[in-house]
Amino acid sequence: LATVSQRPTDIAFSGRTDYNNSSPPLPKDVAISSHRANIVQRMRDVCRERNITCEISTERMAPSQYFDLLKRTKIFVSPFGYGEWSLKDAEAILSGAVLLKPGASLVDSAIPMYTPNETCLEMRPDGNDIGQVLEWALSLEGMAVLQRIQVRAHEVQSGYVTYGRAVANPAVLQGWMDFVERLKHALADY
């Protein structure tokens, strides 16, 4: 993996901002579209105001272009979509980009990939603090922390790359056993 300091793009986003697929648009689609468009606009504003190198794509990218983007990016922003988790979170981490997740500390995941300042960066769910987060992250002190996050996140995420590795993890196994217990109780109630 290229170190964080070797990556020319400070911050990137790749994804949809318009989820309004039905007529009239469903409330959930309006909320998701608004959340993602707001985060992307804040990114644009902060990058322009603070002279931060930024790449934003709201159009579908060819896979080779997308993975090239991840490999040259220091920080990848991944707002919520139809859920808090996104495959892009794992792809960014495995490509060596540091994940910036709105409300990361609120996300409950079997894969411990949303621990702020350990496996990712966090901003407010509304993105209002993205400027402060980026200013700190791209400072000399912040870059040292980004490098630590990159290494730790890649190490953690690599343990879940295959099904065999994932199910060998005690946290995943415990989650499965907890689910089985809930199933037993649910079936008893039928």
Side-chain angles (χ1 to χ4, degrees):
L1 289 177
T3 63
V4 172
S5 63
Q6 293 172 323
R7 295 164 179 260
T9 301
D10 292 325
I11 184 170
F13 167 84
S14 175
R16 293 173 52 191
T17 56
D18 184 2
Y19 281 70
N20 298 315
N21 299 322
S22 57
S23 183
L26 300 172
K28 68 177 174 63
D29 296 335
V30 172
I32 293 167
S33 298
S34 175
H35 167 72
R36 293 172 70 87
N38 176 57
I39 298 285
V40 168
Q41 187 57 53
R42 289 184 188 283
M43 279 179 64
R44 283 191 175 107
D45 294 344
V46 165
C47 289
R48 186 179 52 253
E49 292 165 5
R50 300 177 190 214
N51 200 28
I52 294 172
T53 307
C54 182
E55 291 190 47
I56 295 172
S57 175
T58 58
E59 302 296 323
R60 184 168 176 80
M61 297 177 84
S64 61
Q65 291 176 310
Y66 169 66
F67 285 105
D68 284 345
L69 172 66
L70 293 178
K71 289 175 185 173
R72 68 176 180 270
T73 297
K74 290 177 179 82
I75 301 168
F76 185 79
V77 177
S78 181
F80 306 129
Y82 281 121
E84 64 279 6
W85 176 86
S86 169
L87 181 57
K88 289 182 181 178
D89 298 353
E91 292 167 343
I93 290 169
L94 291 170
S95 296
V98 173
L99 182 66
L100 174 52
K101 191 73 172 177
S105 61
L106 303 173
V107 179
D108 187 20
S109 173
I111 301 173
M113 60 195 284
Y114 300 114
T115 306
N117 296 326
E118 185 179 320
T119 56
C120 70
L121 289 175
E122 178 178 39
M123 66 177 153
R124 288 172 44 116
D126 60 11
N128 283 348
D129 61 345
I130 191 171
Q132 296 91 334
V133 171
L134 291 176
E135 187 174 314
W136 173 82
L138 298 171
S139 71
L140 192 57
E141 175 193 356
M143 288 293 285
V145 174
L146 284 184
Q147 187 56 51
R148 251 191 3 259
I149 292 171
Q150 180 202 46
V151 170
R152 179 68 182 136
H154 191 272
E155 177 184 281
V156 166
Q157 191 66 48
S158 294
Y160 296 86
V161 170
T162 65
Y163 182 77
R165 284 187 197 169
V167 297
N169 186 290
V172 172
L173 292 174
Q174 186 59 55
W176 170 249
M177 294 307 297
D178 293 345
F179 176 68
V180 168
E181 285 301 311
R182 288 192 307 274
L183 278 176
K184 285 181 190 176
H185 293 290
L187 288 173
D189 292 340
Y190 276 104

